Amino acid sequence: MTLTRCAHQALMQTLGNGPNGQDVVWHRAMDAIASGSDTAMMPAQCKSALAVLRALHARTTEARRRLETTSPRLLATALLMANRTDPQINESATTLMDGIRLFPLGRLYNGPTDIYPALVREWLDADPQPVMT
């Protein structure tokens, strides 16, 4: 989670200051990572952060295969609803989760609005991180 947060902060730092144009580029980058498409139009300073995020995103294939989701929110809900006091259910959940890593993919919706870019900017304002190189 910390690595993802640092990569997101480094990416946001390289995109500049304004929430309007910055959010458009942010969403383009997150879409490219999620789809595996090219991010060639991104500034060169973004390459390190994008490489980290792509490597982390590559782990979602195993999560989707085992759990049929890559959503940390859906997984957390399912685990909260599961009767983990039942030994068989607990053992199955433990086996399914062994080695699985799910990371934020740069989107967090409050209704129809993606508030994640604003959240990253708030993190930067509170605790600026050096840009990944």
Side-chain angles (χ1 to χ4, degrees):
M1 295 299 281
T2 300
L3 183 58
T4 303
R5 179 179 171 160
C6 288
H8 282 163
Q9 286 178 283
L11 181 59
M12 187 62 76
Q13 274 184 325
T14 62
L15 296 178
N17 290 340
N20 296 327
Q22 194 178 43
D23 286 2
V24 170
V25 178
W26 175 269
H27 288 116
R28 188 179 317 133
M30 295 303 107
D31 289 344
I33 291 167
S35 69
S37 62
D38 188 22
T39 55
M41 299 303 290
M42 298 294 294
Q45 308 92 299
C46 296
K47 288 188 183 218
S48 295
L50 289 170
V52 167
L53 293 169
R54 281 191 187 280
L56 293 172
H57 187 265
R59 300 282 298 151
T60 63
T61 302
E62 182 64 14
R64 184 172 302 284
R65 185 185 73 76
R66 282 197 230 168
L67 306 171
E68 297 183 12
T69 186
T70 58
S71 169
R73 183 181 296 180
L74 288 176
L75 182 58
T77 301
L79 288 171
L80 287 171
M81 293 173 64
N83 179 6
R84 299 290 298 264
T85 60
D86 179 323
Q88 189 174 12
I89 292 173
N90 190 48
E91 183 179 335
S92 293
T94 301
T95 300
L96 283 172
M97 295 297 297
D98 186 37
I100 291 292
R101 302 292 181 263
L102 295 176
F103 301 98
L105 299 178
R107 305 269 190 191
L108 178 63
Y109 289 94
N110 182 7
T113 306
D114 181 6
I115 62 170
Y116 196 84
L119 182 62
V120 175
R121 282 191 293 276
E122 287 180 24
W123 292 338
L124 283 170
D125 289 343
D127 182 30
Q129 297 290 318
V131 173
M132 298 174 95
T133 56

